[in-house]
Amino acid sequence: MSTIADLLRPDLRGRSPYGAPQLDVPVALNTNENSYAVPPAVVAAVTKAVSRVVPRLNRYPDREFVELRTDLADYLQRSGGVAVRPEQVWAGNGSNEVLLHVLQAFGGPGRTAIGFTPAYSMHPIISATVGTRWVDGMRGVEGHGVFDLGVAGVVAQVREHRPDLVLLCSPNNPTGTALPLEIVEAAHDAAPDAVVVVDEAYAEFARPGTPSALTLLEGRDRLVVTRTMSKAFALAGARLGYLAASPDFIDALRLVRMPYHLSAVTQAVASAALTHAPELLGTVEAIKVQRDRIVAELTGLGLDPVPSDANFVLFGGLDDARATWQSLLEHGILVRDVGIAHHLRVTAGTPEETDAFLSAMRELAPTHRQEQPL
């Protein structure tokens, strides 16, 4: 008789599921959540919106979520000055589901996706779930910083592997670095038969002057830009991600989505939140202050933080990253071990959370720093 392991798809055997630790600690800075609670005015608006739809939960929700797509398009136009129409917008239960729709429609057996490691760890996992071959593209191949991407390196790797999908992150997770638009354009032009996805989950935290790939959508039907309301909007628990692309691209996603995949409650919560975008985004600047403070103070401790355009900081210079992770946990602080030797990633939280993290690092740094060669 076959076991479950025997029945599992061969390409999934031996794999580990995604899992960031969910521990009860005083200071949780490991999953890039927004540390600030939803403002009372937004709570009231969301509660009122949900109360309106609850009596009608006996009926299926709007399958096309037209009101929400209109609200998302309006937000993108207001915040980025880019003309995005509702028919160019798609949404799902978190940006991971949106990315899954893209991989379901344009990936699959016999097709290849490429990303540039280190990058968002869910990209290869989502690719695997739909049987898409994953290629770990390399960073730092042009002799620049180990985490840097350059036009020549991206173009060379895209041409070599001839992928069906190219996945880019800007700002990148876990490094926090944003991409110049020249790289997006170069990847798009070097892969004329591929979908190019730019994951902009942390776009609202970017430093002034950082461009969005939304400005490149016009005339590029194979380009997709994904966003989320989990981070800057402080709505990780609501699970609402979205993308902008051409109307033809959106039509293709309808072929793979489950019927009525966005509940009436999710649609109501997201639309109500979007009407209060200024209040929800009011913490972004405060978080950026803490992010830049972390970079400056870790540098002063002799560590090697990466300047970030996101709401987190990747920092290196640790002798044993896992040992530092454990020591921070013993101080009641949970950060993220992203599997990069000598590095950890910390979310920029409230001033009090940053105080706790930096206080612990001031204590730990003298004995946890990586020895520098003479």
Side-chain angles (χ1 to χ4, degrees):
M1 181 179 295
S2 297
T3 66
I4 294 300
D6 295 328
L7 298 174
L8 187 65
R9 271 173 31 198
D11 59 310
L12 295 181
R13 293 172 191 166
R15 291 181 176 268
S16 299
Y18 173 88
Q22 288 188 304
L23 305 178
D24 185 12
V25 294
V27 181
L29 299 174
N30 68 319
T31 53
N32 301 338
E33 296 160 317
N34 189 318
S35 291
Y36 291 89
V38 177
V42 183
V43 171
V46 167
T47 301
K48 183 177 180 180
V50 171
S51 70
R52 286 197 296 266
V53 303
V54 167
R56 302 194 301 276
L57 290 182
N58 59 310
R59 301 294 185 185
Y60 286 115
D62 176 9
R63 185 176 57 240
E64 293 300 317
F65 46 99
V66 174
E67 180 180 349
L68 175 56
R69 289 164 64 203
T70 301
D71 293 340
L72 287 166
D74 288 345
Y75 164 69
L76 290 177
Q77 182 155 343
R78 290 197 312 272
S79 62
V82 180
V84 177
R85 305 185 304 279
E87 57 267 31
Q88 292 179 266
V89 176
W90 189 251
N93 295 285
S95 59
N96 286 330
E97 185 178 50
V98 167
L99 289 163
L100 176 61
H101 289 165
V102 174
L103 267 296
Q104 286 176 312
F106 297 96
R111 296 195 171 193
T112 298
I114 187 173
F116 297 89
T117 306
Y120 183 37
S121 61
M122 280 303 298
H123 288 169
I125 293 174
I126 295 170
S127 298
T129 64
V130 298
T132 305
R133 185 174 77 94
W134 177 262
V135 173
D136 271 322
M138 302 301 295
R139 292 174 177 266
V141 298
E142 297 166 305
H144 304 304
V146 66
F147 298 130
D148 289 344
L149 269 182
V151 168
V154 169
V155 168
Q157 293 179 78
V158 166
R159 287 177 175 168
E160 176 187 357
H161 295 287
R162 302 180 64 186
D164 300 280
L165 296 107
V166 180
L167 288 97
L168 303 167
C169 290
S170 184
N172 184 50
N173 178 10
T175 64
T177 47
L179 288 178
L181 293 185
E182 291 79 8
I183 290 179
V184 178
E185 292 175 294
H188 182 273
D189 293 346
D193 299 315
V195 167
V196 177
V197 180
V198 183
D199 187 334
E200 292 191 347
Y202 301 93
E204 285 89 352
F205 297 103
R207 286 171 286 186
T210 303
S212 167
L214 289 168
T215 60
L216 300 178
L217 285 178
E218 186 67 30
R220 293 181 174 89
D221 289 349
R222 296 180 290 107
L223 181 63
V224 187
V225 180
T226 65
R227 293 282 188 98
T228 183
M229 294 184 72
S230 294
K231 311 300 182 180
F233 276 86
L235 290 176
R239 308 309 301 130
L240 197 290
Y242 59 104
L243 63 74
S246 71
D248 287 345
F249 192 95
I250 303 302
D251 278 343
L253 300 183
R254 291 186 171 91
L255 300 174
V256 297
R257 60 99 176 266
M258 292 294 101
Y260 314 105
H261 72 287
L262 275 182
S263 77
V265 172
T266 299
Q267 293 181 43
V269 169
S271 283
L274 286 163
T275 64
H276 290 266
E279 294 102 309
L280 281 168
L281 295 175
T283 60
V284 166
E285 291 304 317
I287 290 169
K288 289 163 68 173
V289 168
Q290 298 308 310
R291 173 198 68 198
D292 295 343
R293 177 186 168 200
I294 290 169
V295 171
E297 296 203 23
L298 289 181
T299 300
L301 293 175
L303 298 172
D304 187 21
V306 180
S308 175
D309 279 290
N311 69 332
F312 56 83
V313 176
L314 180 74
F315 62 101
L318 301 170
D319 181 56
D320 183 335
R322 190 64 186 178
T324 305
W325 181 91
Q326 183 62 45
S327 294
L328 284 167
L329 186 60
E330 291 166 3
H331 282 74
I333 301 161
L334 181 61
V335 298
R336 188 68 177 270
D337 183 347
V338 294
I340 302 174
H342 309 296
H343 288 74
L344 293 172
R345 191 193 71 195
V346 59
T347 306
T350 64
E352 294 76 18
E353 289 171 333
T354 303
D355 287 344
F357 167 71
L358 290 173
S359 175
M361 287 306 302
R362 281 191 287 270
E363 177 183 329
L364 296 173
T367 56
H368 284 247
R369 275 194 302 260
Q370 192 175 12
E371 290 189 14
Q372 298 299 318
L374 298 176

